Structures are given as structure tokens and as C-alpha cells.
Amino acid sequence: MYAEERRRQIASLTAVEGRVNVTELSERFDVTAETIRRDLAVLDREGVVHRVHGGAVASQSFQTAELTLDTRQRSATGAKMAIARAALEQLPDGGSIFLDAGTTTNALADLIGQRYSAGQFSIVSNSLPIALSLASNGVSEVQLLGGTVRAITQAVVGDTALRTMALMRADVAFVGTNALTIDHGLSTADSQEAAIKSAFVTNAHRVVVLCDSSKLGNDYLVSFASLDEIDVVITDAGAPASYVEALREHGVEVIIAAEK
């Protein structure tokens, strides 16, 4: 496991549980206590957690830092593939879908291109990698939104994309997120990207969120959807049972994707 991924999971565990200790984290991630202390020191400097004697407690501040696309593609790869496979079960019987930008939605796009015939779905996306993946697999009915490309995520954003989205509807929106909390819902770091995500959520009959467990309990600056707007959350086996139960109590269907 890469250090960045381990730290994201530590941040999520701290946010969900409120407090973590070095010994338990060392056993969970099979690394030395000193490694965990270094991780906690990094997270403390970033304002993600607060160091305390023997561990850390959750920070109440909103996060703003974004990882590069390459870094995110290398993190939680097994969980993301499992989530993408489970998401295939949520595809409509034909019809139209929105595919949000993100590494997990990109994994879903790869599977769609490999398993389904051209023309079976009408797909709209704001992601350059997703559009290229679908096109390279021969999927013909793919519309890439026009607008400004954010280099760090390769997502298309801006007024042109939003004006186009105002005219569109889809049977299912597959949405990625940087974070998910009970109070703040889905959130991300950038307001322009949040606006596109919000349009996907608003203009779809059904909303399926692809969210690996390291994002649960984290909170980013810009909220783009509340739990009331979400139909399904697909996550992995690392999701804390208490958090899964809390989501279900709010009327959200939660699917735990098993890694192969």
C-alpha cells in the first residue's frame, strides 16, 4: 500500500471513529508504530487530524488539498475495481447515463466499453479519460461536455458545460466524490467541478455514488449533494459498519463490493 493511500485511510478512520491510536493503526496496516507516527505527523501538518498522546483525533476543518490524477489512480486500486464491477449491476436496461469524472468512474467506463455493445447506452461525461476509454472500446454514443479542462482531474468544467447540462436528463448518474459525511453529504475541493457534479445529480432519475471507504467521514470544502439526493452508495469492505448503518438509516442503499 502506498503511503498516500494509507494516510487517506487513516484520515477516514479518524473522522469516522473520532479518535485512533498508534498501536491499533500499526496492526491494521501491518507497519511499524514509527511509520504510523510519521503518517499522523504529516496529517497533522495538513490539518486533517490533530495529534494527541498515543494517536490522533479528528479535525473539524474542511479539506481543500487534491491529489493528482496519477496518485489517485494508484490508490485503492482493488477497492475501486470491485466498486466498478458492482456498479455494472446498476446500469439501466439501455437508456442514458451520466459518468462523472473520477478514477473509480473511469474504471466503470473501462468495464462498460469491454462488456457492452456499441449503442446500448447513450453516455454523457465531463471526463477526458472516460471519453477516450469509451471511444477506444468502440462505444459510439458518447458525448463529452465542452468547456474548460481542469488539469489536476482532467474534468471539463465551466459555464459552457453547465449550459449543456441544463438541457440533459439521464436514467442513472454515476458520481464520484472526494468525501462523504452524514451531515455534509458529498463534497469536493473545487467549486466549478462541484457545479457539474450537482448538475449530474439533479438531472438524473437515479444517483449511484462510487466511493471507496477511505473517503467516508472526510469532508471537503464544497458540498454538491445531500444524502436525500442519493439513491445508492457503492463502497468496499473497509467501510466501518457504524457508518454503513448510518447511511442506511438516512434511506440510502449501501452496497459493499467484494474484492476478488
Side-chain angles (χ1 to χ4, degrees):
M1 178 183 292
Y2 290 98
E4 295 94 337
E5 181 182 347
R6 186 178 59 251
R7 289 168 190 156
R8 284 204 311 140
Q9 293 194 18
I10 290 171
S12 178
L13 284 169
T14 309
V16 170
E17 303 295 338
R19 183 184 182 103
V20 293
N21 70 66
V22 170
T23 301
E24 291 178 355
L25 292 174
S26 176
E27 293 173 354
R28 181 185 181 96
F29 294 103
D30 194 25
V31 294
T32 65
E34 186 56 37
T35 297
I36 294 298
R37 292 189 187 96
R38 286 196 296 269
D39 288 340
L40 294 178
V42 170
L43 293 172
D44 182 81
R45 287 195 298 272
E46 293 174 348
V48 177
V49 305
H50 292 306
R51 286 291 308 275
V52 296
H53 180 69
V57 296
S59 170
Q60 299 302 311
S61 62
F62 294 119
Q63 297 183 49
T64 57
E66 292 181 273
L67 299 175
T68 65
L69 188 63
D70 179 64
T71 298
R72 290 187 292 118
Q73 284 174 334
R74 291 186 285 108
S75 70
T77 53
K80 289 175 180 179
M81 284 306 304
I83 291 168
R85 288 192 296 268
L88 288 174
E89 301 298 321
Q90 302 297 316
L91 288 168
D93 186 15
S96 57
I97 61 176
F98 293 148
L99 282 180
D100 181 26
T103 52
T104 313
T105 47
N106 201 341
L108 173 59
D110 291 342
L111 293 178
I112 290 173
Q114 293 163 15
R115 300 190 184 191
Y116 292 91
S117 60
Q120 187 163 349
F121 301 106
S122 176
I123 301 173
V124 176
S125 183
N126 69 322
S127 166
L128 293 180
I130 284 176
L132 288 171
S133 170
L134 292 169
S136 66
N137 279 299
V139 180
S140 56
E141 294 188 39
V142 180
Q143 179 165 343
L144 175 65
L145 296 178
T148 303
V149 179
R150 292 192 71 228
I152 194 167
T153 60
Q154 296 184 19
V156 177
V157 299
D159 291 341
T160 301
L162 286 172
R163 284 195 297 270
T164 304
M165 279 302 305
L167 305 174
M168 294 187 164
R169 300 294 182 271
D171 296 299
V172 182
F174 293 93
V175 180
T177 186
N178 291 83
L180 190 161
T181 65
I182 302 302
D183 296 331
H184 206 210
L186 308 181
S187 58
T188 192
D190 181 74
S191 59
Q192 290 195 90
E193 199 155 339
I196 299 295
K197 291 174 180 288
S198 180
F200 282 154
V201 170
T202 300
N203 294 352
H205 293 300
R206 183 172 173 82
V207 178
V208 179
V209 179
L210 311 186
C211 177
D212 71 75
S213 60
S214 70
K215 299 173 181 177
L216 298 176
N218 291 327
D219 214 350
Y220 271 72
L221 187 63
V222 188
S223 176
F224 62 87
S226 67
L227 295 186
D228 293 340
E229 299 173 281
I230 300 168
D231 296 293
V232 181
V233 169
I234 305 178
T235 188
D236 58 86
S242 60
Y243 220 78
V244 171
E245 183 60 29
L247 288 171
R248 288 171 174 161
E249 288 177 356
H250 280 76
V252 178
E253 180 185 354
V254 180
I255 297 172
I256 307 298
E259 295 186 36
K260 290 184 177 179

